[in-house]
Amino acid sequence: MSISQAIEKVETRYAHQPEFVQAVKEVALTIAPLYDAHPEYEKNKIFERLVEPDRIIAFRINWENDKGEVQVNRGWRVQFSNALGPYKGGVRFHPTVNQSVLKFLGFEQIFKNALTGLPIGGGKGGSDFDPKGKSDSEIRRFCYAFMRELHHYVSKDMDVPAGDIGVGGREVSYMFAMYKNLTHEYSGVLTGKGVGFGGSLMRTEATGYGAVYFLENMLKVQNESIEGKRVLVTGAGNVSLHAAEKVNMLGGIAITVSDSKGTLYDENGFDQEKIDWLKKQKDQSKPLADYVDKFGGEWFAGKKPWHIKGDIAIPSATQNEVDEDDAKMMVDNGIKYVVEGANMPLTAEAIDHIREHRVHYAPGKAANAGGVAVSALEMSQNSVRQYKSFEQIDTRLKNIMKDIHDSAASASDKYNQTDNGYIDYMAGSNIVGFKRVADALCAYGILN
Ligand code: GLU
């Protein structure tokens, strides 16, 4: 079965899972030159195999809110592929979570994790639980209940969850505590643990910092630097605020962050004092808009930042946050680089538009791989029970991001996707990630 027939099959079978179909098509449409060079992939039906997860575990979570009322949520773990290592990927708590969203995230995670060059397979999990407005006790009870069920299906060598939207250090700690309590085992079954009880230094910063390291590599190829560049960041979570922080550390000017309520714009840029304030504000679930009273700037209620002029965009909020109209505004407002901090933040039409205008584009599975890469370093530190310094991890992260950049760029060249100096990072990273997984699957025969 050819790739185009395989896409058709996925489109028909999973018409009710639009995010998953979108993620599959993005990969499928870029790996044709690799397929042509490797007839064994078609023979072994690698693509057809990879679009079906190894398994999906679905479960119910009962928990009690502060009023003593019984609450019922749904939870899933999508164990997509362990061709290259234990299933690895975050857990998302958000009301939009469903099988389509988790399958798209799990599918992308396979190739992202392969790109890191570290021994991790791909998986993703989560629940439709909405953490917004919940008390700390409610979050704790929910996390305990979630892990009470999930612990049957995860372990340090089999499947290692971590954080994602709605799941940070606090939630990972609660889940880790429940796993430890049920299994009597202290192991690296989750990453993103607190530093001091198994967590790695720099895990919190890694996704945002890594995206900016990737950007530095892209700029270098074009003989440019981040210094003085105006950077539009969306989101106000872990990825966004650390991306903004690294931009500022390297002499760029991060001028926006955003949340579901609107966009905060500071034309003077967020320096460390402002970023520390933003982190604290978000930790306490307080409004971003309060910033204006303290530091000035502007608050655009209900708006995204794309009407603002800038040089670089780092969309780091959530999937499909940038549609075609947003992409048009970006191009009109001078954006020359788009680096995805979030997973699949651009719709297919938005990607087409910026690529047509030769905006340099780094897809999430390459640009935001720093987070899961440091998770893999956390796993290895847990295994040897020894910890590395901040500087050691930072150096590893920089090298990993450079390797991902360079291998994607050289695959773009090798498979004739580079057009007059415009590197196709999307094709390049899909090709590199896919090839690593496909070669392992061919070697295994028809298992997996
Ligand atoms: N949720 C993050 C991602 O999308 C991190 C996953 C992990 O550290 O396992 O890559």
Side-chain angles (χ1 to χ4, degrees), residues 88-90 109 112 124 162-164 191 203 343 371-372 375:
K88 181 80 195 89
Q109 199 86 43
K112 179 194 315 198
K124 202 85 186 190
D164 196 81
T191 59
R203 175 62 192 87
N343 293 314
V372 77
S375 275

Side-chain angles (χ1 to χ4, degrees), residues 115-133:
L115 278 164
T116 67
L118 298 165
I120 37 179
K124 202 85 186 190
S127 170
D128 56 4
F129 171 74
D130 186 359
K132 233 180 230 160

Side-chain angles (χ1 to χ4, degrees), residues 102-374:
L102 294 180
K103 279 177 66 185
F104 115 65
L105 289 164
F107 184 71
E108 291 224 315
Q109 199 86 43
I110 307 172
F111 308 110
K112 179 194 315 198
N113 294 4
L115 278 164
T116 67
L118 298 165
I120 37 179
K124 202 85 186 190
S127 170
D128 56 4
F129 171 74
D130 186 359
K132 233 180 230 160
K134 301 287 188 298
S135 70
D136 185 60
S137 316
E138 289 177 324
I139 298 280
R140 174 166 38 78
R141 284 195 293 274
F142 179 78
C143 290
Y144 283 173
F146 184 81
M147 186 49 93
R148 201 166 50 223
E149 190 56 37
L150 186 67
H151 87 279
H152 295 293
Y153 313 105
V154 296
S155 80
K156 69 177 169 51
D157 294 316
M158 197 261 279
D159 184 356
V160 182
D164 196 81
I165 294 172
V167 179
R170 171 179 63 166
E171 291 74 16
V172 167
S173 299
Y174 290 146
M175 288 193 268
F176 184 58
M178 182 51 99
Y179 185 84
K180 211 159 58 56
N181 185 283
L182 292 170
T183 59
H184 298 187
E185 182 185 293
Y186 189 106
S187 71
V189 64
L190 285 152
T191 59
K193 301 183 287 300
V195 174
F197 52 96
S200 174
L201 286 165
M202 260 206 97
R203 175 62 192 87
T204 317
E205 295 84 351
T207 314
Y209 281 19
V212 179
Y213 292 153
F214 194 95
L215 166 67
E216 274 194 299
N217 284 287
M218 295 170 80
L219 287 161
K220 209 167 150 199
V221 176
Q222 308 301 327
N223 292 316
E224 293 200 80
S225 106
I226 198 165
E227 205 138 341
K229 296 269 190 317
R230 293 164 67 78
V231 184
L232 307 180
V233 179
T234 56
N238 191 37
V239 182
S240 323
L241 296 181
H242 288 106
E245 181 170 74
K246 187 48 85 178
V247 166
N248 176 57
M249 285 163 90
L250 297 174
I253 311 163
I255 53 174
T256 64
V257 289
S258 67
D259 64 12
S260 56
K261 300 205 172 60
T263 289
L264 177 64
Y265 170 48
D266 184 340
E267 62 170 343
N268 300 315
F270 302 118
D271 60 17
Q272 195 60 50
E273 185 199 348
K274 294 169 177 173
I275 288 166
D276 289 342
W277 184 91
L278 288 168
K279 283 183 187 168
K280 219 162 131 197
Q281 192 76 354
K282 272 284 145 184
D283 271 355
Q284 298 170 353
S285 306
K286 289 191 187 157
L288 274 184
D290 292 357
Y291 178 98
V292 178
D293 292 337
K294 187 154 172 69
F295 297 106
E298 256 178 280
W299 173 252
F300 295 105
K303 280 193 89 165
K304 304 181 198 175
W306 312 121
H307 61 285
I308 298 166
K309 285 201 181 323
D311 305 300
I312 296 167
I314 310 185
S316 307
T318 194
Q319 68 267 10
N320 293 330
E321 59 172 294
V322 179
D323 63 20
E324 193 176 5
D325 289 341
D326 297 326
K328 285 181 180 158
M329 274 196 272
M330 275 185 182
V331 170
D332 293 347
N333 283 314
I335 296 291
K336 295 275 180 306
Y337 295 83
V338 174
V339 175
E340 294 186 339
N343 293 314
M344 208 169 75
L346 270 67
T347 63
E349 296 75 21
I351 295 173
D352 287 347
H353 186 80
I354 62 163
R355 280 159 52 99
E356 273 160 28
H357 290 79
R358 293 178 73 90
V359 172
H360 301 286
Y361 166 62
K365 59 171 86 67
N368 75 34
V372 77
V374 173

